[in-house]
Amino acid sequence: MTINGGRPLSGRIELKGAKNLVTKAMVAALLGETPSVLRDVPAISDVGVVRGLLEVHGVKVSDGDAEGVLHLDPSNVESANFVDIDAHAGSSRIPILFCGPLLHRLGEAFIPDLGGCRIGDRPIDYHLEVLRNFGAVVEKLPSGIRMSAPNGLHGAKVALPYPSVGATEQVLLTAVRADGITELRGAAIEPEIMDLINILQKMGAIISVDTDRVIRIEGVDALSGYDHRALFDRNEAASWAAAALATNGDIFVGGARQPEMLTFLNVYRKVGGGFEIHDDGIRFFHPGGELNPVIIETDVHPGFMTDWQQPLVVALTKATGVSIVHETVYEQRFGFVDTLVEMGATIQVHKECLGGQACRFGQRNFKHSAVISGPSRLHGADIVVPDLRGGFSHLIAALSAEGVSHVSNVGIISRGYENFINKLEQLGADFVLEA
Ligand code: EPU
């Protein structure tokens, strides 16, 4: 993309369902004995990857008549052959969540090497430990992971060392059909997880969410399909909100809702961003004047989400004063700032835990605190998109910069942002897309 920066983005865009819910909801359909209908499914490549993996396991996936509707029929689930599964190696992290449902349906599962953004080591030790707790036998092979459940899967007491989103989903998707009761302590409680629980309850599951991150699941013998409209994508909403601020713009994000974004909205207000809550969405705008620096740290829900950090950092380069962002969820999520520095931002990254409490990454050589001094005037640059959220941040930086930027590898952004090219056009961005 060749971007001619410096034009405020303004207009209206519409969100669909959250990438980080929709992909899991598609996996949940595997557990049903009847077909499921999922609504507000975005056209993003991560959905394509999960669709492909479901199809090689015999799930019939078809588009509904209306846009964003997916029908998932798991009546003929079958073991997939290795080559078909391996074709999806390295493309997403979702395949690890197929384990529980496949073990219930087929008694075995094979999971290819995982993909996803390189923003830290991203191990799967919690997932494997959880599955072993339920009775799965895990065999690591050079080409992936093979699992079986010779004695079936049984409810378990599980305590996560950290409230991992994926490991919590692993427990939910396995426990709902396991024999007996599961108690999960240290669960993640992100809104996307709550919506997955909504879906599983529609399917016939019995799940209670107690205080202090405790979730209890009573296994049932059978689940049916669901009909569900996915929760909106609050990460995409925050990304466009940051774009409005960084470009002096005014963006109405249709479908965004206040309750799931409370923490983001507080920070947005402190930075000096304007917002208005409407029944059908949230308007985000730069109200004029200077932006303020902030000190924030990312955290699990209800804290400030790690996925919001990268786009916001671009807006913080425009704030007058020193901001600090302490990343406590992923150890290497500041790789994207090198490009911002090349574009004229003043950002240093430090190994110490700055601006908050000590986190898991302190004293461990990870540059996980960023100090941003502003205001900076960004100028155009040659940019190679590194990952999903970092890539979107680079787009915002280029759109807010003076002069021309050449951005390559933009395809990565379509992993999680539906039709972002059309949306940029709708918002009046000045760019040319090369073949
Ligand atoms: N972790 C482990 N071992 C595990 C699992 C996780 O050490 O077995 C660690 C991770 O390395 C990380 C922390 O726990 O440091 C949290 O990871 P979590 O499991 O919560 O993340 P995830 O499930 O892999 C999802 C989203 C991410 C989002 C995080 C946090 C999906 C597909 N991905 O990842 O989204 O940042 O939760 O909310 O749902 C994105 O959308 O760009 C993205 C990266």
PDB file of all heavy atoms in Angstrom, residues 22-23 25-27 29-30 35-38 41 47-64 68-77 98 226:
ATOM      1  N   VAL A  22     -15.458 -15.663  17.638  1.00  0.00           N
ATOM      2  CA  VAL A  22     -16.050 -16.380  16.509  1.00  0.00           C
ATOM      3  C   VAL A  22     -15.284 -17.677  16.209  1.00  0.00           C
ATOM      4  O   VAL A  22     -15.877 -18.745  16.002  1.00  0.00           O
ATOM      5  CB  VAL A  22     -16.054 -15.447  15.261  1.00  0.00           C
ATOM      6  CG1 VAL A  22     -16.271 -16.225  13.987  1.00  0.00           C
ATOM      7  CG2 VAL A  22     -17.120 -14.378  15.428  1.00  0.00           C
ATOM      8  N   THR A  23     -13.958 -17.589  16.225  1.00  0.00           N
ATOM      9  CA  THR A  23     -13.161 -18.772  15.893  1.00  0.00           C
ATOM     10  C   THR A  23     -13.390 -19.886  16.932  1.00  0.00           C
ATOM     11  O   THR A  23     -13.433 -21.066  16.571  1.00  0.00           O
ATOM     12  CB  THR A  23     -11.671 -18.386  15.822  1.00  0.00           C
ATOM     13  OG1 THR A  23     -11.363 -17.511  16.918  1.00  0.00           O
ATOM     14  CG2 THR A  23     -11.344 -17.669  14.528  1.00  0.00           C
ATOM     15  N   ALA A  25     -16.173 -20.165  18.797  1.00  0.00           N
ATOM     16  CA  ALA A  25     -17.573 -20.592  18.642  1.00  0.00           C
ATOM     17  C   ALA A  25     -17.676 -21.632  17.530  1.00  0.00           C
ATOM     18  O   ALA A  25     -18.458 -22.586  17.608  1.00  0.00           O
ATOM     19  CB  ALA A  25     -18.451 -19.384  18.321  1.00  0.00           C
ATOM     20  N   MET A  26     -16.871 -21.456  16.483  1.00  0.00           N
ATOM     21  CA  MET A  26     -16.885 -22.431  15.377  1.00  0.00           C
ATOM     22  C   MET A  26     -16.402 -23.794  15.885  1.00  0.00           C
ATOM     23  O   MET A  26     -16.949 -24.836  15.520  1.00  0.00           O
ATOM     24  CB  MET A  26     -15.997 -21.941  14.236  1.00  0.00           C
ATOM     25  CG  MET A  26     -16.568 -20.717  13.530  1.00  0.00           C
ATOM     26  SD  MET A  26     -15.397 -19.971  12.368  1.00  0.00           S
ATOM     27  CE  MET A  26     -15.385 -21.191  11.041  1.00  0.00           C
ATOM     28  N   VAL A  27     -15.386 -23.785  16.749  1.00  0.00           N
ATOM     29  CA  VAL A  27     -14.885 -25.051  17.306  1.00  0.00           C
ATOM     30  C   VAL A  27     -15.970 -25.688  18.186  1.00  0.00           C
ATOM     31  O   VAL A  27     -16.180 -26.905  18.159  1.00  0.00           O
ATOM     32  CB  VAL A  27     -13.589 -24.824  18.123  1.00  0.00           C
ATOM     33  CG1 VAL A  27     -13.092 -26.134  18.715  1.00  0.00           C
ATOM     34  CG2 VAL A  27     -12.506 -24.178  17.266  1.00  0.00           C
ATOM     35  N   ALA A  29     -19.027 -25.728  17.806  1.00  0.00           N
ATOM     36  CA  ALA A  29     -20.055 -26.411  17.002  1.00  0.00           C
ATOM     37  C   ALA A  29     -19.748 -27.899  16.838  1.00  0.00           C
ATOM     38  O   ALA A  29     -20.655 -28.721  16.652  1.00  0.00           O
ATOM     39  CB  ALA A  29     -20.177 -25.736  15.634  1.00  0.00           C
ATOM     40  N   LEU A  30     -18.460 -28.249  16.934  1.00  0.00           N
ATOM     41  CA  LEU A  30     -18.036 -29.659  16.836  1.00  0.00           C
ATOM     42  C   LEU A  30     -18.668 -30.515  17.919  1.00  0.00           C
ATOM     43  O   LEU A  30     -18.827 -31.728  17.759  1.00  0.00           O
ATOM     44  CB  LEU A  30     -16.525 -29.728  17.065  1.00  0.00           C
ATOM     45  CG  LEU A  30     -15.547 -29.914  15.927  1.00  0.00           C
ATOM     46  CD1 LEU A  30     -14.133 -29.923  16.478  1.00  0.00           C
ATOM     47  CD2 LEU A  30     -15.827 -31.197  15.162  1.00  0.00           C
ATOM     48  N   PRO A  35     -26.889 -29.249  13.872  1.00  0.00           N
ATOM     49  CA  PRO A  35     -26.171 -28.107  13.289  1.00  0.00           C
ATOM     50  C   PRO A  35     -26.281 -26.819  14.114  1.00  0.00           C
ATOM     51  O   PRO A  35     -27.241 -26.629  14.866  1.00  0.00           O
ATOM     52  CB  PRO A  35     -26.854 -27.919  11.931  1.00  0.00           C
ATOM     53  CG  PRO A  35     -27.498 -29.221  11.636  1.00  0.00           C
ATOM     54  CD  PRO A  35     -27.898 -29.795  12.954  1.00  0.00           C
ATOM     55  N   SER A  36     -25.308 -25.951  13.941  1.00  0.00           N
ATOM     56  CA  SER A  36     -25.281 -24.649  14.614  1.00  0.00           C
ATOM     57  C   SER A  36     -25.338 -23.532  13.583  1.00  0.00           C
ATOM     58  O   SER A  36     -24.945 -23.721  12.420  1.00  0.00           O
ATOM     59  CB  SER A  36     -23.986 -24.493  15.410  1.00  0.00           C
ATOM     60  OG  SER A  36     -23.980 -25.362  16.517  1.00  0.00           O
ATOM     61  N   VAL A  37     -25.800 -22.377  14.039  1.00  0.00           N
ATOM     62  CA  VAL A  37     -25.812 -21.184  13.182  1.00  0.00           C
ATOM     63  C   VAL A  37     -25.099 -20.067  13.931  1.00  0.00           C
ATOM     64  O   VAL A  37     -25.465 -19.730  15.058  1.00  0.00           O
ATOM     65  CB  VAL A  37     -27.256 -20.723  12.859  1.00  0.00           C
ATOM     66  CG1 VAL A  37     -27.234 -19.506  11.938  1.00  0.00           C
ATOM     67  CG2 VAL A  37     -28.056 -21.859  12.244  1.00  0.00           C
ATOM     68  N   LEU A  38     -24.069 -19.518  13.306  1.00  0.00           N
ATOM     69  CA  LEU A  38     -23.313 -18.433  13.935  1.00  0.00           C
ATOM     70  C   LEU A  38     -23.514 -17.173  13.092  1.00  0.00           C
ATOM     71  O   LEU A  38     -23.381 -17.216  11.867  1.00  0.00           O
ATOM     72  CB  LEU A  38     -21.829 -18.826  14.010  1.00  0.00           C
ATOM     73  CG  LEU A  38     -20.901 -17.871  14.750  1.00  0.00           C
ATOM     74  CD1 LEU A  38     -21.351 -17.631  16.184  1.00  0.00           C
ATOM     75  CD2 LEU A  38     -19.465 -18.421  14.753  1.00  0.00           C
ATOM     76  N   VAL A  41     -20.384 -13.266  11.578  1.00  0.00           N
ATOM     77  CA  VAL A  41     -19.038 -13.816  11.380  1.00  0.00           C
ATOM     78  C   VAL A  41     -18.273 -12.896  10.423  1.00  0.00           C
ATOM     79  O   VAL A  41     -18.735 -12.641   9.308  1.00  0.00           O
ATOM     80  CB  VAL A  41     -19.121 -15.232  10.771  1.00  0.00           C
ATOM     81  CG1 VAL A  41     -17.732 -15.789  10.510  1.00  0.00           C
ATOM     82  CG2 VAL A  41     -19.921 -16.153  11.684  1.00  0.00           C
ATOM     83  N   VAL A  47     -10.872 -16.933  10.315  1.00  0.00           N
ATOM     84  CA  VAL A  47     -12.119 -17.695  10.187  1.00  0.00           C
ATOM     85  C   VAL A  47     -11.953 -18.747   9.089  1.00  0.00           C
ATOM     86  O   VAL A  47     -12.377 -19.902   9.231  1.00  0.00           O
ATOM     87  CB  VAL A  47     -13.312 -16.753   9.881  1.00  0.00           C
ATOM     88  CG1 VAL A  47     -14.524 -17.520   9.367  1.00  0.00           C
ATOM     89  CG2 VAL A  47     -13.678 -15.959  11.135  1.00  0.00           C
ATOM     90  N   GLY A  48     -11.271 -18.362   8.009  1.00  0.00           N
ATOM     91  CA  GLY A  48     -11.019 -19.303   6.906  1.00  0.00           C
ATOM     92  C   GLY A  48     -10.195 -20.498   7.365  1.00  0.00           C
ATOM     93  O   GLY A  48     -10.463 -21.640   6.969  1.00  0.00           O
ATOM     94  N   VAL A  49      -9.202 -20.250   8.217  1.00  0.00           N
ATOM     95  CA  VAL A  49      -8.344 -21.343   8.709  1.00  0.00           C
ATOM     96  C   VAL A  49      -9.173 -22.329   9.538  1.00  0.00           C
ATOM     97  O   VAL A  49      -9.101 -23.549   9.350  1.00  0.00           O
ATOM     98  CB  VAL A  49      -7.184 -20.776   9.570  1.00  0.00           C
ATOM     99  CG1 VAL A  49      -6.426 -21.893  10.265  1.00  0.00           C
ATOM    100  CG2 VAL A  49      -6.240 -19.950   8.704  1.00  0.00           C
ATOM    101  N   VAL A  50     -10.001 -21.803  10.440  1.00  0.00           N
ATOM    102  CA  VAL A  50     -10.798 -22.682  11.307  1.00  0.00           C
ATOM    103  C   VAL A  50     -11.830 -23.433  10.463  1.00  0.00           C
ATOM    104  O   VAL A  50     -12.073 -24.620  10.659  1.00  0.00           O
ATOM    105  CB  VAL A  50     -11.466 -21.886  12.446  1.00  0.00           C
ATOM    106  CG1 VAL A  50     -12.287 -22.799  13.340  1.00  0.00           C
ATOM    107  CG2 VAL A  50     -10.407 -21.173  13.277  1.00  0.00           C
ATOM    108  N   ARG A  51     -12.397 -22.729   9.491  1.00  0.00           N
ATOM    109  CA  ARG A  51     -13.368 -23.371   8.602  1.00  0.00           C
ATOM    110  C   ARG A  51     -12.710 -24.559   7.892  1.00  0.00           C
ATOM    111  O   ARG A  51     -13.258 -25.657   7.837  1.00  0.00           O
ATOM    112  CB  ARG A  51     -13.862 -22.344   7.577  1.00  0.00           C
ATOM    113  CG  ARG A  51     -14.869 -22.888   6.611  1.00  0.00           C
ATOM    114  CD  ARG A  51     -15.369 -21.786   5.677  1.00  0.00           C
ATOM    115  NE  ARG A  51     -16.379 -22.324   4.788  1.00  0.00           N
ATOM    116  CZ  ARG A  51     -17.365 -21.631   4.259  1.00  0.00           C
ATOM    117  NH1 ARG A  51     -17.485 -20.348   4.516  1.00  0.00           N
ATOM    118  NH2 ARG A  51     -18.252 -22.198   3.466  1.00  0.00           N
ATOM    119  N   GLY A  52     -11.505 -24.329   7.367  1.00  0.00           N
ATOM    120  CA  GLY A  52     -10.781 -25.395   6.666  1.00  0.00           C
ATOM    121  C   GLY A  52     -10.526 -26.585   7.582  1.00  0.00           C
ATOM    122  O   GLY A  52     -10.719 -27.740   7.188  1.00  0.00           O
ATOM    123  N   LEU A  53     -10.138 -26.312   8.812  1.00  0.00           N
ATOM    124  CA  LEU A  53      -9.846 -27.413   9.747  1.00  0.00           C
ATOM    125  C   LEU A  53     -11.118 -28.176  10.127  1.00  0.00           C
ATOM    126  O   LEU A  53     -11.094 -29.400  10.289  1.00  0.00           O
ATOM    127  CB  LEU A  53      -9.193 -26.863  11.011  1.00  0.00           C
ATOM    128  CG  LEU A  53      -7.672 -26.964  11.094  1.00  0.00           C
ATOM    129  CD1 LEU A  53      -7.188 -26.342  12.387  1.00  0.00           C
ATOM    130  CD2 LEU A  53      -7.189 -28.405  11.002  1.00  0.00           C
ATOM    131  N   LEU A  54     -12.213 -27.453  10.271  1.00  0.00           N
ATOM    132  CA  LEU A  54     -13.484 -28.137  10.569  1.00  0.00           C
ATOM    133  C   LEU A  54     -13.863 -29.022   9.387  1.00  0.00           C
ATOM    134  O   LEU A  54     -14.287 -30.176   9.565  1.00  0.00           O
ATOM    135  CB  LEU A  54     -14.592 -27.107  10.828  1.00  0.00           C
ATOM    136  CG  LEU A  54     -14.530 -26.375  12.173  1.00  0.00           C
ATOM    137  CD1 LEU A  54     -15.520 -25.206  12.191  1.00  0.00           C
ATOM    138  CD2 LEU A  54     -14.844 -27.326  13.336  1.00  0.00           C
ATOM    139  N   GLU A  55     -13.690 -28.494   8.185  1.00  0.00           N
ATOM    140  CA  GLU A  55     -14.105 -29.245   6.997  1.00  0.00           C
ATOM    141  C   GLU A  55     -13.295 -30.531   6.833  1.00  0.00           C
ATOM    142  O   GLU A  55     -13.855 -31.566   6.483  1.00  0.00           O
ATOM    143  CB  GLU A  55     -14.012 -28.358   5.750  1.00  0.00           C
ATOM    144  CG  GLU A  55     -15.180 -27.373   5.710  1.00  0.00           C
ATOM    145  CD  GLU A  55     -15.067 -26.294   4.634  1.00  0.00           C
ATOM    146  OE1 GLU A  55     -13.951 -26.088   4.107  1.00  0.00           O
ATOM    147  OE2 GLU A  55     -16.084 -25.649   4.341  1.00  0.00           O
ATOM    148  N   VAL A  56     -11.985 -30.479   7.124  1.00  0.00           N
ATOM    149  CA  VAL A  56     -11.209 -31.721   6.970  1.00  0.00           C
ATOM    150  C   VAL A  56     -11.622 -32.750   8.031  1.00  0.00           C
ATOM    151  O   VAL A  56     -11.334 -33.936   7.885  1.00  0.00           O
ATOM    152  CB  VAL A  56      -9.671 -31.510   6.990  1.00  0.00           C
ATOM    153  CG1 VAL A  56      -9.229 -30.604   5.860  1.00  0.00           C
ATOM    154  CG2 VAL A  56      -9.173 -31.010   8.327  1.00  0.00           C
ATOM    155  N   HIS A  57     -12.320 -32.301   9.066  1.00  0.00           N
ATOM    156  CA  HIS A  57     -12.838 -33.249  10.065  1.00  0.00           C
ATOM    157  C   HIS A  57     -14.307 -33.603   9.814  1.00  0.00           C
ATOM    158  O   HIS A  57     -14.998 -34.098  10.701  1.00  0.00           O
ATOM    159  CB  HIS A  57     -12.672 -32.683  11.483  1.00  0.00           C
ATOM    160  CG  HIS A  57     -11.251 -32.728  11.964  1.00  0.00           C
ATOM    161  ND1 HIS A  57     -10.399 -31.657  11.887  1.00  0.00           N
ATOM    162  CD2 HIS A  57     -10.518 -33.750  12.496  1.00  0.00           C
ATOM    163  CE1 HIS A  57      -9.209 -32.008  12.364  1.00  0.00           C
ATOM    164  NE2 HIS A  57      -9.252 -33.260  12.727  1.00  0.00           N
ATOM    165  N   GLY A  58     -14.780 -33.297   8.621  1.00  0.00           N
ATOM    166  CA  GLY A  58     -16.119 -33.755   8.241  1.00  0.00           C
ATOM    167  C   GLY A  58     -17.252 -32.811   8.593  1.00  0.00           C
ATOM    168  O   GLY A  58     -18.416 -33.121   8.360  1.00  0.00           O
ATOM    169  N   VAL A  59     -16.939 -31.639   9.164  1.00  0.00           N
ATOM    170  CA  VAL A  59     -18.013 -30.683   9.473  1.00  0.00           C
ATOM    171  C   VAL A  59     -18.378 -29.964   8.171  1.00  0.00           C
ATOM    172  O   VAL A  59     -17.499 -29.479   7.461  1.00  0.00           O
ATOM    173  CB  VAL A  59     -17.559 -29.653  10.537  1.00  0.00           C
ATOM    174  CG1 VAL A  59     -18.668 -28.651  10.840  1.00  0.00           C
ATOM    175  CG2 VAL A  59     -17.108 -30.366  11.803  1.00  0.00           C
ATOM    176  N   LYS A  60     -19.680 -29.936   7.877  1.00  0.00           N
ATOM    177  CA  LYS A  60     -20.126 -29.205   6.678  1.00  0.00           C
ATOM    178  C   LYS A  60     -20.309 -27.745   7.066  1.00  0.00           C
ATOM    179  O   LYS A  60     -21.118 -27.436   7.945  1.00  0.00           O
ATOM    180  CB  LYS A  60     -21.460 -29.755   6.200  1.00  0.00           C
ATOM    181  CG  LYS A  60     -21.327 -30.641   4.998  1.00  0.00           C
ATOM    182  CD  LYS A  60     -22.682 -30.779   4.337  1.00  0.00           C
ATOM    183  CE  LYS A  60     -22.962 -32.261   4.151  1.00  0.00           C
ATOM    184  NZ  LYS A  60     -24.339 -32.613   4.340  1.00  0.00           N
ATOM    185  N   VAL A  61     -19.535 -26.865   6.434  1.00  0.00           N
ATOM    186  CA  VAL A  61     -19.652 -25.437   6.764  1.00  0.00           C
ATOM    187  C   VAL A  61     -20.180 -24.716   5.530  1.00  0.00           C
ATOM    188  O   VAL A  61     -19.616 -24.860   4.446  1.00  0.00           O
ATOM    189  CB  VAL A  61     -18.278 -24.848   7.175  1.00  0.00           C
ATOM    190  CG1 VAL A  61     -18.444 -23.401   7.641  1.00  0.00           C
ATOM    191  CG2 VAL A  61     -17.618 -25.685   8.268  1.00  0.00           C
ATOM    192  N   SER A  62     -21.268 -23.978   5.669  1.00  0.00           N
ATOM    193  CA  SER A  62     -21.802 -23.263   4.500  1.00  0.00           C
ATOM    194  C   SER A  62     -22.232 -21.862   4.905  1.00  0.00           C
ATOM    195  O   SER A  62     -22.584 -21.605   6.058  1.00  0.00           O
ATOM    196  CB  SER A  62     -22.972 -24.040   3.903  1.00  0.00           C
ATOM    197  OG  SER A  62     -23.898 -24.328   4.914  1.00  0.00           O
ATOM    198  N   ASP A  63     -22.175 -20.969   3.919  1.00  0.00           N
ATOM    199  CA  ASP A  63     -22.584 -19.590   4.174  1.00  0.00           C
ATOM    200  C   ASP A  63     -24.100 -19.498   4.137  1.00  0.00           C
ATOM    201  O   ASP A  63     -24.740 -20.101   3.275  1.00  0.00           O
ATOM    202  CB  ASP A  63     -21.995 -18.665   3.099  1.00  0.00           C
ATOM    203  CG  ASP A  63     -20.478 -18.670   3.155  1.00  0.00           C
ATOM    204  OD1 ASP A  63     -19.936 -18.561   4.269  1.00  0.00           O
ATOM    205  OD2 ASP A  63     -19.830 -18.818   2.099  1.00  0.00           O
ATOM    206  N   GLY A  64     -24.666 -18.735   5.056  1.00  0.00           N
ATOM    207  CA  GLY A  64     -26.117 -18.528   5.049  1.00  0.00           C
ATOM    208  C   GLY A  64     -26.507 -17.516   3.987  1.00  0.00           C
ATOM    209  O   GLY A  64     -25.635 -16.966   3.301  1.00  0.00           O
ATOM    210  N   GLY A  68     -22.491 -12.772   6.687  1.00  0.00           N
ATOM    211  CA  GLY A  68     -21.935 -13.039   8.012  1.00  0.00           C
ATOM    212  C   GLY A  68     -22.598 -14.197   8.743  1.00  0.00           C
ATOM    213  O   GLY A  68     -22.379 -14.388   9.936  1.00  0.00           O
ATOM    214  N   VAL A  69     -23.429 -14.983   8.032  1.00  0.00           N
ATOM    215  CA  VAL A  69     -24.071 -16.131   8.699  1.00  0.00           C
ATOM    216  C   VAL A  69     -23.384 -17.412   8.241  1.00  0.00           C
ATOM    217  O   VAL A  69     -23.164 -17.631   7.046  1.00  0.00           O
ATOM    218  CB  VAL A  69     -25.573 -16.202   8.375  1.00  0.00           C
ATOM    219  CG1 VAL A  69     -26.199 -17.438   9.019  1.00  0.00           C
ATOM    220  CG2 VAL A  69     -26.274 -14.938   8.866  1.00  0.00           C
ATOM    221  N   LEU A  70     -23.039 -18.241   9.216  1.00  0.00           N
ATOM    222  CA  LEU A  70     -22.338 -19.487   8.915  1.00  0.00           C
ATOM    223  C   LEU A  70     -23.151 -20.641   9.491  1.00  0.00           C
ATOM    224  O   LEU A  70     -23.578 -20.589  10.649  1.00  0.00           O
ATOM    225  CB  LEU A  70     -20.967 -19.429   9.599  1.00  0.00           C
ATOM    226  CG  LEU A  70     -19.758 -20.013   8.891  1.00  0.00           C
ATOM    227  CD1 LEU A  70     -19.629 -19.491   7.473  1.00  0.00           C
ATOM    228  CD2 LEU A  70     -18.492 -19.673   9.686  1.00  0.00           C
ATOM    229  N   HIS A  71     -23.374 -21.674   8.672  1.00  0.00           N
ATOM    230  CA  HIS A  71     -24.038 -22.890   9.157  1.00  0.00           C
ATOM    231  C   HIS A  71     -22.967 -23.953   9.344  1.00  0.00           C
ATOM    232  O   HIS A  71     -22.138 -24.162   8.445  1.00  0.00           O
ATOM    233  CB  HIS A  71     -25.064 -23.378   8.130  1.00  0.00           C
ATOM    234  CG  HIS A  71     -26.228 -22.443   7.985  1.00  0.00           C
ATOM    235  ND1 HIS A  71     -27.415 -22.618   8.631  1.00  0.00           N
ATOM    236  CD2 HIS A  71     -26.351 -21.289   7.283  1.00  0.00           C
ATOM    237  CE1 HIS A  71     -28.234 -21.627   8.343  1.00  0.00           C
ATOM    238  NE2 HIS A  71     -27.600 -20.795   7.515  1.00  0.00           N
ATOM    239  N   LEU A  72     -22.994 -24.603  10.491  1.00  0.00           N
ATOM    240  CA  LEU A  72     -21.968 -25.603  10.783  1.00  0.00           C
ATOM    241  C   LEU A  72     -22.662 -26.912  11.148  1.00  0.00           C
ATOM    242  O   LEU A  72     -23.370 -26.972  12.153  1.00  0.00           O
ATOM    243  CB  LEU A  72     -21.087 -25.140  11.951  1.00  0.00           C
ATOM    244  CG  LEU A  72     -20.435 -23.772  11.741  1.00  0.00           C
ATOM    245  CD1 LEU A  72     -20.887 -22.788  12.805  1.00  0.00           C
ATOM    246  CD2 LEU A  72     -18.923 -23.889  11.747  1.00  0.00           C
ATOM    247  N   ASP A  73     -22.495 -27.927  10.309  1.00  0.00           N
ATOM    248  CA  ASP A  73     -23.180 -29.198  10.537  1.00  0.00           C
ATOM    249  C   ASP A  73     -22.157 -30.285  10.896  1.00  0.00           C
ATOM    250  O   ASP A  73     -21.408 -30.756  10.036  1.00  0.00           O
ATOM    251  CB  ASP A  73     -23.962 -29.576   9.272  1.00  0.00           C
ATOM    252  CG  ASP A  73     -24.745 -30.857   9.474  1.00  0.00           C
ATOM    253  OD1 ASP A  73     -24.562 -31.518  10.524  1.00  0.00           O
ATOM    254  OD2 ASP A  73     -25.546 -31.207   8.582  1.00  0.00           O
ATOM    255  N   PRO A  74     -22.138 -30.703  12.178  1.00  0.00           N
ATOM    256  CA  PRO A  74     -21.136 -31.671  12.618  1.00  0.00           C
ATOM    257  C   PRO A  74     -21.651 -33.118  12.621  1.00  0.00           C
ATOM    258  O   PRO A  74     -21.074 -33.959  13.315  1.00  0.00           O
ATOM    259  CB  PRO A  74     -20.845 -31.195  14.046  1.00  0.00           C
ATOM    260  CG  PRO A  74     -22.180 -30.705  14.517  1.00  0.00           C
ATOM    261  CD  PRO A  74     -22.951 -30.224  13.306  1.00  0.00           C
ATOM    262  N   SER A  75     -22.718 -33.408  11.835  1.00  0.00           N
ATOM    263  CA  SER A  75     -23.320 -34.749  11.908  1.00  0.00           C
ATOM    264  C   SER A  75     -22.338 -35.843  11.510  1.00  0.00           C
ATOM    265  O   SER A  75     -22.447 -36.973  11.970  1.00  0.00           O
ATOM    266  CB  SER A  75     -24.535 -34.858  10.980  1.00  0.00           C
ATOM    267  OG  SER A  75     -25.290 -33.704  11.035  1.00  0.00           O
ATOM    268  N   ASN A  76     -21.406 -35.514  10.613  1.00  0.00           N
ATOM    269  CA  ASN A  76     -20.504 -36.575  10.118  1.00  0.00           C
ATOM    270  C   ASN A  76     -19.050 -36.324  10.470  1.00  0.00           C
ATOM    271  O   ASN A  76     -18.170 -36.426   9.607  1.00  0.00           O
ATOM    272  CB  ASN A  76     -20.635 -36.683   8.592  1.00  0.00           C
ATOM    273  CG  ASN A  76     -22.027 -37.130   8.216  1.00  0.00           C
ATOM    274  OD1 ASN A  76     -22.523 -38.120   8.753  1.00  0.00           O
ATOM    275  ND2 ASN A  76     -22.661 -36.379   7.328  1.00  0.00           N
ATOM    276  N   VAL A  77     -18.786 -36.006  11.717  1.00  0.00           N
ATOM    277  CA  VAL A  77     -17.391 -35.750  12.119  1.00  0.00           C
ATOM    278  C   VAL A  77     -16.570 -37.018  11.935  1.00  0.00           C
ATOM    279  O   VAL A  77     -17.016 -38.120  12.265  1.00  0.00           O
ATOM    280  CB  VAL A  77     -17.343 -35.291  13.596  1.00  0.00           C
ATOM    281  CG1 VAL A  77     -15.913 -35.224  14.099  1.00  0.00           C
ATOM    282  CG2 VAL A  77     -17.987 -33.925  13.722  1.00  0.00           C
ATOM    283  N   PHE A  98      -9.124 -27.592  19.303  1.00  0.00           N
ATOM    284  CA  PHE A  98      -9.878 -28.722  18.747  1.00  0.00           C
ATOM    285  C   PHE A  98      -9.730 -29.973  19.618  1.00  0.00           C
ATOM    286  O   PHE A  98     -10.479 -30.937  19.449  1.00  0.00           O
ATOM    287  CB  PHE A  98      -9.358 -29.064  17.339  1.00  0.00           C
ATOM    288  CG  PHE A  98      -9.952 -28.229  16.239  1.00  0.00           C
ATOM    289  CD1 PHE A  98      -9.706 -26.872  16.169  1.00  0.00           C
ATOM    290  CD2 PHE A  98     -10.747 -28.810  15.256  1.00  0.00           C
ATOM    291  CE1 PHE A  98     -10.248 -26.098  15.147  1.00  0.00           C
ATOM    292  CE2 PHE A  98     -11.296 -28.051  14.234  1.00  0.00           C
ATOM    293  CZ  PHE A  98     -11.046 -26.695  14.181  1.00  0.00           C
ATOM    294  N   TYR A 226     -26.292 -24.673  18.259  1.00  0.00           N
ATOM    295  CA  TYR A 226     -26.717 -23.382  18.806  1.00  0.00           C
ATOM    296  C   TYR A 226     -27.072 -22.434  17.667  1.00  0.00           C
ATOM    297  O   TYR A 226     -26.720 -22.679  16.510  1.00  0.00           O
ATOM    298  CB  TYR A 226     -25.580 -22.773  19.646  1.00  0.00           C
ATOM    299  CG  TYR A 226     -24.310 -22.477  18.850  1.00  0.00           C
ATOM    300  CD1 TYR A 226     -24.199 -21.328  18.075  1.00  0.00           C
ATOM    301  CD2 TYR A 226     -23.234 -23.366  18.872  1.00  0.00           C
ATOM    302  CE1 TYR A 226     -23.049 -21.068  17.332  1.00  0.00           C
ATOM    303  CE2 TYR A 226     -22.078 -23.112  18.133  1.00  0.00           C
ATOM    304  CZ  TYR A 226     -21.998 -21.960  17.367  1.00  0.00           C
ATOM    305  OH  TYR A 226     -20.876 -21.708  16.616  1.00  0.00           O
TER     306      TYR A 226
END
